[in-house]
Structure formats: C-alpha cells, structure tokens
Amino acid sequence: MLLSTIGFGVLLWQARETSRREFAAQGRETAQVLSLAVDAELERARGVLSALSASDAMRNRDWSAVDRQARAAFTTKDAWIVVQSRDGRQWVNTRLARGAALPKAPPPQKMWQALDAGRQHVCDLSAGAIQARIVCVDVGDEFSRPPAYALSVVFRPEFFRAIVRRQNQEAGELASLVDRNGIVIWRNIRPDAFVGKATTSVLRERMQAADAASLESESLEGVRMLTAFQRSPRSGWSVIVGMPLKSADKGSLGALMHGSLFALILVLLGCALAAILGRRLTRGLEQLGQVLDPDADFRGGSTGFTEFDAAAAALRQASDARLRSERNQQMLIGELNHRVKNTLSVVQSLAHQTFREAADPRASIRAFELRLQALGQAHNLLTRERWRSASLDEIVQVALAPFCSDDRCSREGPDIHVPPQTAVTLALALHELATNAVKYGALSVREGHITVRWSGDARAFELLWAESGGPPATEPARRGFGTRLIERSLATELNGTATIDFLPEGLRCRVVGRLATPGQADVLDVLEA
C-alpha cells in the first residue's frame, strides 16, 4: 500500500511538472501567435496610411476627399483616421461626423521626431483628444520633407478584443497586451479594472531583460500564475499569456486520470471493432454454409452406379466448398486482425500526440474527441464502400463540413477514389489543416476562404489546399502534430510528397501521391469473387 501511494505520488509529481513544461511551451507559442496577430493589424493600418499619404487628394490637400477615402478605409467604431499638422490642428478625424468641429491638441513630440527621421511611429497607451485611452500608428505625408502632416490610425483598446478571442482562450486563462512601458492596453479578464494599469514589477523586469520567456508570477489580482510573454520587435508591445497554477496542477491530475481512462477506451474500442467485424464474418460464413446440405442422404431405388457417382460428385463438391470456406474464414480473420490493429495504432498515436502536446486537459480532451470524430467519419465512408476505396471529393467534403459551408470552403476536382488507409490519413490531415485555419488562418476572419483543388487519375493525384483572405501565414517555431502528420505520415502513405508553405496571402499545402496499381484488389474483392 505504501509503495502504491509513493508510486502514485511520483506519477502525480511527474504529471504536474510535465503539465507545467507543456504549458510553458504552449504559452510561448500562443503569445507569439497573438503578438504576430497584433503586428498584422498594425501593419495593415500602416499600409492604409501609406496609400492615403501618397494619394492625389493628399497631394492637393483636398481634405474633403481625404476624409472620404479615410472613412472608406476603416469602418469599425474602434479605429479611426486622423490627419493633423505640426501645430496640433486636425484636418481630418473620421471618429467625428462630417462637418463637426475638429479638436486641436498639443503636438506629440515623439511622433514628430520619428516622422522627421523617416520612420513610422507606434504610440503607447495615452490620452486622446476625444477618447480617454488610445494607441496609434503614425506616418508622415509623402509630399513634403520634413513631413508637414501626420496621418494616424487611432485605436480604442477594445479593438484588440477580437484578436484575443480568436485564440479561443479558456475560462480562467489570461491574455494581456501591454505597451513598452508595461501598461496594460487590453486584457481579456476584467479589462475595465486593469486597462491603463501597470503590470507587476516582476514581469516588467523580465520583459526589459528578454524578448520572450516563461515564468511563475502573480497576476494583478494576486493570483499565482504560469506566465509566458512575447515582445514584438515591430511595435515594442508585449503579449502576456497566463494560467493559474492551481488550474494547471489540477489539470495534471486530471490528465493522469484521463490518460488511464483513454487507455481503457482504446481496449473497449478494439473490442467493439472486433465485434462489428466479427458479425460481418459470421454473416459471410452463414451465406457460404447455405451451399452445403450436411443432412443430405442417398435416395432412390436404383441399384446401379449412377446414383453412387452423383453422390460421390456431390460429396467432392461439398468437400471443396468446405475447404474454400475454411480458407476464406482464415483470410477474413487475418483481415479483421489487420484492420483492428491498424485502427488501434491510429487511435494510440492520436492519443499520444494529443496529450503530449496540450497543457490543458480540457483542451486536449476536446482536440482528441474532434480527431476521433474525423477518424470515425472516414471509417463511415469506407464502410459504405465496403472498405474498397473512398471518393476524394467525399473525403474533402466530410472533413470540411464541421468547419465551414460551401460559400467559404470550395472544392474542385475529378472523381478519384483512394485506398482505405490513404483515405484515413488524408481525412486526418484535412482535419488538422481546417483546425489550424480556424485558429490562425483563413477561417479566423469573416473574409477568409479555403479552396481545395485536385487532379489526377487512378494511378496518381495532386491536391492543393489554398487559404486566402485571412491573416498572413507565419511558420511556427516548432512543428506540431498536424504538420508532422502531413509532412511525414501522409507523404509516406502516399509514397509521394506533402509540403506546407507559409505565405503572406495564406497557408498552402500541396500533396502529390501515387495510388494503387489498377487491377490491385482488396481482400474482400478476392473473397467475393
């Protein structure tokens, strides 16, 4: 009993330490993704300003036309464009109604120093002329040196709410955006209480010493946290991601218990698959048994050998049928064992990769459930086709259905059928691509779109996954499960190549594979011949 208690305690300690290490890695990755997303919004604002500053309306100082163009560029209430001269006078302010009196404020010296040096400027959280708290991006006009006018996109802190929400932060997890002075610009938990407040001194010191790190610290509420941060070299702002230590440690015990539970689920799943395929085997044997009549006797009154010859022929035929039945039975059992082992191997791999990479048990359980659903959907397609092959069009359609409708996810290609194991691996790969698109790619914004195109024939095919209208695709610091599944497992299964490109216009995944040689039969085709 004592040894069992000690052993469980060691496992619990190891689970806690593993959970903390995994959160540190995941937290740094999430902070990096959020930081890149913030940079993308700031870069988009800078691009709008650069285009506006070089326009004919700006060249002619046609403020009415500049105002019209600026209002068309930003339609959200949480961001607007201001054009001002060096004396602090505003010539355009899209936050106000057309024709409204425009405010005059003291000229921001840091902004003009940066613009005079030919640099863009990103301001820290400050008080605006018509808004209590603002941040901004500033560029100079293109038609005077030094610039006579500054063009700015001004943001309310609430503008960054959508960026944080896009990462699907769980309840209790903290995400904050802070400026170069360590002042909170936005926070997903109690923003009204903490926007404009300074972060803790421990965090400020670490952020001054490093661009990225993970550590144990206290939140502004005084809660002990596992914290990770990432500073943007573009803006100097930092993203902080944190989880309460109690939640992380509680989750480690939950992960240990759930790991044991899923081990049991694997065994039960194998038994269930064996039972399903076993019933199929039994039905096949019953059908084969109908050709036999074990109770048949010799009837007829003839004393000649005709009846004997007929009976002997029938006996030989029955014997041959029994031998074929036994061979078929062995082949079906072998096929059953093969498919059950394959399925269990896939499920074991999914469980191992999911629970190894995720720090939060709730998130890992959800990810595992979704991957199992994708696997189950692929099996449904194959079962309907009696495990001969699956339509590539149906594989793509079923994989994308949980994530988007046809108006946002389109597919184009000929009617190609792929072997069973290829169908399973391809379905899982498409699931990972769609999941990534929802978190970071085209499906994370309303304007995003995904196109899946393929071409080929019964010998080979090429498939392209293309995202557009979303944020720029950024290559992650480390390869996750989805990337490894595509670049390694899928390429190996197809005896071909699978490459992922992270492009400014969106993620691209190109898959080239060779299929089975025409005429190659599935084991069920052999048995039914």
Side-chain angles (χ1 to χ4, degrees):
M1 181 66 180
L2 177 61
L3 290 176
S4 299
T5 303
I6 294 174
F8 187 79
V10 170
L11 286 175
L12 181 61
W13 178 83
Q14 290 178 338
R16 188 193 70 176
E17 293 303 307
T18 300
S19 177
R20 290 188 178 188
R21 286 195 300 271
E22 288 177 347
F23 174 79
Q26 182 180 348
R28 288 193 297 269
E29 181 178 342
T30 302
Q32 182 183 38
V33 169
L34 283 170
S35 180
L36 290 172
V38 171
D39 281 353
E41 292 294 344
L42 298 181
E43 184 62 21
R44 186 169 76 92
R46 187 202 62 78
V48 170
L49 293 176
S50 296
L52 190 62
S53 70
S55 66
D56 289 339
M58 193 68 200
R59 180 199 300 272
N60 298 326
R61 310 309 188 201
D62 184 349
W63 303 122
S64 177
V66 173
D67 181 89
R68 199 164 49 248
Q69 294 173 0
R71 290 180 188 275
F74 272 90
T75 58
T76 173
K77 66 177 182 179
D78 292 326
W80 60 95
I81 294 178
V82 171
V83 180
Q84 59 182 310
S85 53
R86 286 183 174 269
D87 60 359
R89 180 182 177 184
Q90 294 187 5
W91 297 89
V92 172
N93 189 323
T94 62
R95 181 76 168 82
L96 302 175
R98 287 189 178 91
L102 302 182
K104 182 177 181 179
Q109 296 302 321
K110 287 185 178 180
M111 178 188 76
W112 287 109
Q113 290 171 3
L115 300 186
D116 288 346
R119 304 190 307 269
Q120 71 174 33
H121 178 255
V122 177
C123 68
D124 292 322
L125 190 70
S126 55
I130 58 176
Q131 182 71 37
R133 296 190 181 99
I134 60 165
V135 290
C136 58
V137 177
D138 313 299
V139 303
D141 81 276
E142 293 290 328
F143 302 107
S144 55
R145 287 291 180 270
Y149 297 92
L151 295 85
S152 307
V153 174
V154 183
F155 301 95
R156 295 174 66 221
E158 289 81 359
F159 179 85
F160 301 99
R161 178 195 295 117
I163 298 176
V164 175
R165 283 182 176 175
R166 198 175 297 160
Q167 299 305 313
N168 299 319
Q169 295 294 120
E170 296 285 347
E173 293 183 0
L174 177 66
S176 300
L177 176 65
V178 302
D179 66 16
R180 285 166 290 207
N181 299 317
I183 304 299
V184 177
I185 298 173
W186 181 251
R187 200 173 190 262
N188 67 328
I189 297 177
R190 300 180 64 194
D192 294 340
F194 293 107
V195 169
K197 304 287 186 183
T199 57
T200 62
S201 58
V202 172
L203 269 177
R204 290 200 303 274
E205 291 174 3
R206 289 298 297 272
M207 288 190 293
Q208 290 173 359
D211 291 336
S214 56
L215 67 155
E216 292 185 17
S217 66
E218 285 190 357
S219 69
L220 291 173
E221 295 94 337
V223 178
R224 293 293 298 171
M225 308 283 287
L226 287 171
T227 305
F229 67 83
Q230 173 73 46
R231 182 168 60 210
S232 163
R234 187 181 299 273
S235 65
W237 298 350
S238 297
V239 170
I240 304 170
V241 177
M243 170 186 281
L245 272 174
K246 288 184 178 180
S247 298
D249 293 343
K250 181 180 178 181
S252 63
L253 176 59
L256 184 61
M257 300 302 293
H258 284 294
S260 302
L261 174 62
F262 279 115
L264 176 61
I265 290 176
L266 293 179
V267 175
L268 295 177
L269 180 62
C271 294
L273 288 172
I276 293 171
L277 294 178
R279 286 197 298 270
R280 184 177 175 185
L281 172 63
T282 301
R283 288 195 298 270
L285 294 177
E286 288 175 350
Q287 293 173 356
L288 287 172
Q290 291 175 0
V291 303
L292 305 176
D293 186 6
D295 296 328
D297 55 3
F298 299 117
R299 296 182 176 88
S302 174
T303 58
F305 292 96
T306 303
E307 292 83 355
F308 177 80
D309 291 339
L315 182 61
R316 285 194 301 270
Q317 183 179 4
S319 177
D320 291 341
R322 288 184 184 277
L323 288 174
R324 286 197 300 270
S325 175
E326 290 175 0
R327 287 196 299 268
N328 289 341
Q329 180 180 5
Q330 292 301 318
M331 293 178 69
L332 282 171
I333 291 174
E335 178 66 9
L336 170 64
N337 289 335
H338 175 69
R339 289 182 180 173
V340 169
K341 287 179 181 178
N342 277 351
T343 301
L344 286 177
S345 296
V346 172
V347 174
Q348 283 178 318
S349 177
L350 291 179
H352 176 72
Q353 297 291 343
T354 302
F355 291 102
R356 186 183 73 176
E357 293 186 352
D360 185 355
R362 293 169 298 179
S364 59
I365 291 171
R366 179 58 177 161
F368 185 65
E369 288 175 345
L370 293 175
R371 285 166 176 165
L372 281 184
Q373 288 176 13
L375 177 62
Q377 289 166 348
H379 277 228
N380 288 339
L381 287 177
L382 290 167
T383 300
R384 194 182 66 199
E385 298 296 329
R386 308 192 70 179
W387 279 82
R388 291 189 180 90
S389 63
S391 162
L392 186 54
D393 181 67
E394 286 191 308
I395 293 171
V396 176
Q397 180 184 15
V398 170
L400 294 181
F403 299 94
C404 57
S405 55
D406 291 342
D407 61 329
R408 297 196 61 191
C409 293
S410 57
R411 58 188 195 280
E412 306 169 12
D415 184 20
I416 298 176
H417 279 68
V418 299
Q421 193 57 38
T422 300
V424 170
T425 309
L426 190 58
L428 291 174
L430 291 169
H431 170 80
E432 297 300 322
L433 286 169
T435 300
N436 182 78
V438 169
K439 290 183 177 180
Y440 315 117
L443 298 183
S444 66
V445 297
R446 292 181 179 179
E447 300 81 10
H449 188 270
I450 292 175
T451 301
V452 183
R453 298 188 184 92
W454 64 90
S455 59
D457 51 31
R459 295 178 179 271
F461 77 94
E462 179 175 343
L463 180 144
L464 175 65
W465 170 287
E467 299 184 23
S468 60
T474 305
E475 186 167 3
R478 62 185 180 89
R479 288 307 204 232
F481 169 64
T483 305
R484 294 196 299 272
L485 174 72
I486 294 167
E487 293 181 334
R488 298 178 189 174
S489 300
L490 184 58
T492 301
E493 172 62 35
L494 294 173
N495 194 23
T497 60
T499 57
I500 299 177
D501 295 315
F502 300 88
L503 306 176
E505 57 268 29
L507 186 140
R508 297 286 186 276
C509 178
R510 187 178 301 276
V511 178
V512 179
R514 288 188 286 274
L515 302 175
T517 302
Q520 181 176 347
D522 182 84
V523 67
L524 291 182
D525 294 321
V526 175
L527 293 178
E528 294 170 357

